Amino acid sequence: MRWGRRPAEDADDAVATEVGVELRDVGHAYGERVVLDGVSLTLAERRVGVIGGNGSGKSTFARLLNGLVVPTSGTVLVDGLDTRTQVRAVRRRVGFVFQDPDAQIVHPTVAEDLAFGPHNQGLPDDEVARRVEEMLERYGLAGHRDHPAHLLSGGQKQLLAIAGVLAMRPRRIVFDEPTTLLDLANTRRVARVIDELEQDVVVVTHHLELLGGFDRVLVVEGGRVVADGAPGETVPWYVARMG
Amino acid sequence: MKSRDLAYVALFAAIVAVLGLLPPVPVPGLPVPITAQTLGVMLAGSVLGAKRGGLALLVFLALVAAGAPLLSGGRGGLSVFAGPTAGYLYSWPIAAFVIGLLTQLFWKRFNLAWALVANMIGGIVVIYAIGVPFTALYGDVSLWASLTGSFTFIPGDLVKAVAASVVAVAVRRAYPVIELPTRHATAG
Amino acid sequence: MLSLYVPGGSVVHRARAGLKLALLAALGVGLFLVESPAVMAGAVALATAVGLGVARLPWRALAVQVRPVWVWLAVLFVFHLLVTDLRTGSVAVLRLVALLVAAAVVTATTRVTALVAVIEWLASPLRVLGVRPARIGLVLAMTLRFIPLVAERAARIREAQAARGAVRLRAGMAVPLLIQVLRMAATVGEALDARGADDAPARRPRRRTAVAS
């Protein structure tokens, strides 16, 4: 179990393509307000969880991983690509699922929304259509192909949001509190979906039970990573700390 | 234009559409019930500013033209752009743009008074300056007849200008969209 | 509410959106050039026949689009009876009914994406001014997505305020609602970036088959 800061170890491997995600002394501030400070670590595990209280900086942490937020100090490298200068390439590699699926579904109907990401990637129409079909089948949305997205249930909306990201075939996916707005049944369903993904995933969450089979869990507090290790160690530590 | 601006533009186009779903509100003392859609025009300009506000109304009109029944009363399609009151529709993007321009001009000392100035010039003067002559030309009636015919709507428009100004000032205080000093991402 | 599209495989469904819109526009202009009640009645019958017979739409799909305006049409008719005459009144009302039904048929048989693609195409000359047509299409689609969303959030805020004892507080509702949806739109902006919206190709990619042939 590692505590506090962890020095950047693989600095020289930055140009290699399989180093995973590396943060080097990363800080982020919104104006005067510092939300992350001095975070250095490498994420190469298949399943990484991030937990911490409201306002701890974990949401900003998640956004750093695909360049939605660029660090105000330090560097974030995704497979050796700098999120500051190669943000488009980074975003092709790292999908992002938001807490509120309503904020992520941008097209009025299910099939149209699924086509959005692949189309942006410049894929030919028949390939886009194939991916849409694949996602409709895989997530039980085939009966809702032409339905307006707002008529889906909360759980179905989140599945659509996830499917919309998967249709772009990213190598890794960051989830920002994917189950916060869901009921228990849908939380379990989304947990299962995440579990079955072949991609590397980083999940920011308040639902600790999601992290059972994870390889590594980070605890973020006051803009710093205060604990880092296997879930069997960090999760009980975090729970105990919360009193 | 950033992706966020595209979302803001779409949002206000949608807000104008939703305001069209509201039934006309009868106000005691006013001769005609108030329809809420021009309130959306005023809000688009005074919350988003000139460029994004004007675009929001262009987007709204494009959807109406494409056949979406988004005008109050469920009207839509190309026919509404050929009717005698179409001039008022054409004025909306310009009105939102002018309101936005004035709002940006007053932004540093923006308060209820300045908001009222912006909304009354852009949301009433501009709209009538375009709508009234259009109707006069279209229906082959005198400008004066066209103008007096629209007078019944002025009290309602004043009420809307006040409402839009109150809301715009409150939104500026809580979530300023014009001239963002720093990025407001959801931290936490 | 706004997905007026009714899936189907008829000739009308399969016709190009641009063609349908062009015909609708032509009808809109054409009907204003004639003043005959018989022609107007014929146009209403034709539009209805195309909708119900050829496109095989359920009559409700058309009624839903005409219903909101029938009071307004009735008022217009009465106005004409008082101010002009029966003939002018019936022409004015039937013309609007014909256009409404025709527009309803186009809307019910055409996917939003297809309509949006036509608008993108119409906007392509704006490329000279630095406007990217694909982004116009995106904003139009997003607006259609946002309309039910804004209505839903408005209803939720009204409920929340009612639960706290506020029976009628229309203006007080607007501010929290606007702030909530503005925040949401900011997140949507992030989601657009995350899903590669700024990565979109300048031109729509061609079908692979077209490239191969």
Side-chain angles (χ1 to χ4, degrees), chain A residues 40-60:
Chain A
S40 293
L41 45 80
T42 301
L43 304 175
E45 294 78 3
R46 286 199 63 230
R47 296 287 181 268
V48 178
V50 181
I51 54 180
N54 295 323
S56 60
K58 62 189 192 313
S59 193
T60 303

Side-chain angles (χ1 to χ4, degrees), chain B residues 18-76:
Chain B
V18 171
L19 287 169
L21 298 175
L22 296 177
V25 186
V27 175
L30 296 190
V32 246
I34 298 185
T35 55
Q37 228 148 15
T38 48
L39 182 63
V41 177
M42 297 176 186
L43 286 174
S46 47
V47 173
L48 294 186
K51 192 177 169 193
R52 292 174 296 189
L55 282 175
L57 268 299
L58 274 182
V59 165
F60 173 78
L61 291 185
L63 282 172
V64 171
L70 301 179
L71 288 173
S72 61
R75 291 169 303 136

